[in-house]
Amino acid sequence: QPPRARPDGKEPAMLELAGMAGYKHTPKLTTGIGIAVNIGLGQNWSNIRLSMQGVGARVYAQWEWQYGISAYAGYERLYKQIGGWQLNKETDAVTGIQPSTHNNQQYSEAVLIGISKRYRMNSKWDGAVQVLYDVWWKDKGLRSPVVLRFVTSKK
């Protein structure tokens, strides 16, 4: 999903929250699964519209080279949902939007490959920056194949 709103107004800016669990096969190779939720933020600051955009699943493999630099490969599928809720800035009221037909067959897929750089936040938490390439970006009508992610993980 695009991090910024599309100019044609078809999709809002997105915030994606994900929970993932990995299994370390060797000191360098980790594979895992996870779930993700996409939340739409609206088209701009004067038109904030929070909406549930979908729930998805993902699998990944990560191979660590050295100095916290890793190769990353993953597959993700997001099931889209239409509808949600909206925040009116003038009245601070949250109003529900009835979803139109929810079709579980409407989904978005991504195959992501790229690199990740891990860094230490404190004694209990690590962070990482991932720069990924979405193989199917043209099929989804995105402006760029680059996906930038910020990851926080517990040691």
Side-chain angles (χ1 to χ4, degrees):
Q1 294 297 330
R4 293 178 8 192
R6 287 194 184 172
D8 59 10
K10 289 184 179 177
E11 288 193 22
M14 297 285 189
L15 172 65
E16 183 173 312
L17 302 172
M20 300 180 71
Y23 177 75
K24 223 171 175 85
H25 296 279
T26 69
K28 293 187 179 245
L29 178 64
T30 303
T31 59
I33 61 172
I35 59 172
V37 174
N38 273 15
I39 299 169
L41 302 175
Q43 295 297 318
N44 53 42
W45 288 109
S46 59
N47 184 16
I48 295 176
R49 180 178 178 263
L50 300 176
S51 60
M52 176 70 163
Q53 293 294 313
V55 177
R58 52 176 64 170
V59 294
Y60 75 95
Q62 188 166 314
W63 185 73
E64 187 169 339
W65 290 322
Q66 52 184 311
Y67 308 115
I69 298 173
S70 303
Y72 179 95
Y75 170 78
E76 302 176 1
R77 179 178 277 192
L78 174 75
Y79 291 91
K80 299 176 183 180
Q81 180 170 340
I82 300 169
W85 38 280
Q86 180 174 356
L87 174 65
N88 185 331
K89 288 183 87 174
E90 295 174 6
T91 63
D92 288 332
V94 176
T95 57
I97 299 169
Q98 292 298 329
S100 58
T101 59
H102 179 214
N103 183 355
N104 284 340
Q105 298 304 315
Q106 292 180 335
Y107 60 85
S108 171
E109 295 178 299
V111 172
L112 302 167
I113 55 173
I115 60 171
S116 179
K117 171 62 174 127
R118 183 176 38 86
Y119 57 89
R120 181 182 168 144
M121 295 173 69
N122 59 35
S123 62
K124 294 183 180 181
W125 295 92
D126 281 340
V129 175
Q130 295 179 335
V131 180
L132 307 171
Y133 177 84
D134 186 347
V135 174
W136 294 331
W137 70 282
K138 286 184 181 178
D139 296 338
K140 294 186 275 186
L142 300 178
R143 290 186 264 190
S144 171
V146 178
V147 176
L148 181 63
R149 289 189 176 158
F150 299 95
V151 179
T152 304
S153 60
K154 189 168 181 160
K155 289 185 178 183

